[in-house]
Amino acid sequence: MDRIQVAEANRKVKRDIQKVFGDNFLKIITEIILNSDDSYNRIEASEKIISIKPIEIFLNRKNRTITIIDQAEGMTKQRMVDVFSRYGGDYSGYNNNNFVRGLFGQGASDVMFLSALHEFDSHIISIKDGVA
């Protein structure tokens, strides 16, 4: 029997990306904040300490930019490539019984793809083990 690989059309991918958050700004930033908080929770669980968990949010209405900064785990370059180069992957660890919270099973990559869809610049800078 012949097998045919089925691929999604670009218009379908665009609809799926838009459907995740719509234009709800609060859902978008909530997703990023929850990712930061989940990362802090993993640190606390592994080190068995409770510490201050700063998540700084800077909103610049004039430039239409938002910056969210945490001091949590960070990601290696390879992890960033894995997470942000394929739409729709499961990278949260939820299926490995890691406790994570998110909106509708979405994550930071969905925020980045939505931004790209609307042709906004997005940047993630991560520091892991002293390497940016």
Side-chain angles (χ1 to χ4, degrees), residues 1-7:
M1 174 187 303
D2 291 339
R3 293 181 184 255
I4 299 171
Q5 184 174 352
V6 177

Side-chain angles (χ1 to χ4, degrees), residues 89-131:
D90 179 10
Y91 305 106
S92 69
Y94 176 79
N95 288 330
N96 295 331
N97 297 318
N98 289 339
F99 179 74
V100 294
R101 295 160 299 154
L103 299 171
F104 316 110
Q106 307 309 314
S109 61
D110 295 284
V111 172
M112 297 295 284
F113 290 122
L114 179 66
S115 180
L117 178 66
H118 290 289
E119 298 181 2
F120 290 114
D121 285 343
S122 295
H123 308 276
I124 292 182
I125 301 170
S126 183
I127 301 172
K128 176 87 174 177
D129 299 327
V131 178

Side-chain angles (χ1 to χ4, degrees), residues 1-18:
M1 174 187 303
D2 291 339
R3 293 181 184 255
I4 299 171
Q5 184 174 352
V6 177
E8 291 183 333
N10 285 341
R11 66 187 191 96
K12 166 82 167 85
V13 173
K14 286 180 181 179
R15 275 197 319 259
D16 289 349
I17 292 170
Q18 184 65 37

Side-chain angles (χ1 to χ4, degrees), residues 32-110:
I32 302 300
I33 292 167
L34 288 174
N35 286 358
S36 293
D37 193 52
D38 287 341
S39 181
Y40 281 124
N41 287 336
R42 285 190 296 273
I43 292 170
E44 286 181 356
S46 69
E47 298 177 2
K48 306 212 180 337
I49 60 169
I50 297 175
S51 60
I52 297 173
K53 302 184 282 189
I55 300 172
E56 300 176 272
I57 303 169
F58 301 95
L59 183 64
N60 185 325
R61 292 181 188 272
K62 180 180 176 186
N63 294 336
R64 297 184 61 173
T65 61
I66 184 166
T67 303
I68 300 174
I69 300 172
D70 67 35
Q71 303 294 319
E73 296 168 297
M75 291 186 277
T76 64
K77 181 180 178 182
Q78 186 57 52
R79 175 80 173 144
M80 289 181 72
V81 168
D82 292 344
V83 170
F84 296 109
S85 64
R86 183 174 181 190
Y87 179 68
D90 179 10
Y91 305 106
S92 69
Y94 176 79
N95 288 330
N96 295 331
N97 297 318
N98 289 339
F99 179 74
V100 294
R101 295 160 299 154
L103 299 171
F104 316 110
Q106 307 309 314
S109 61
D110 295 284

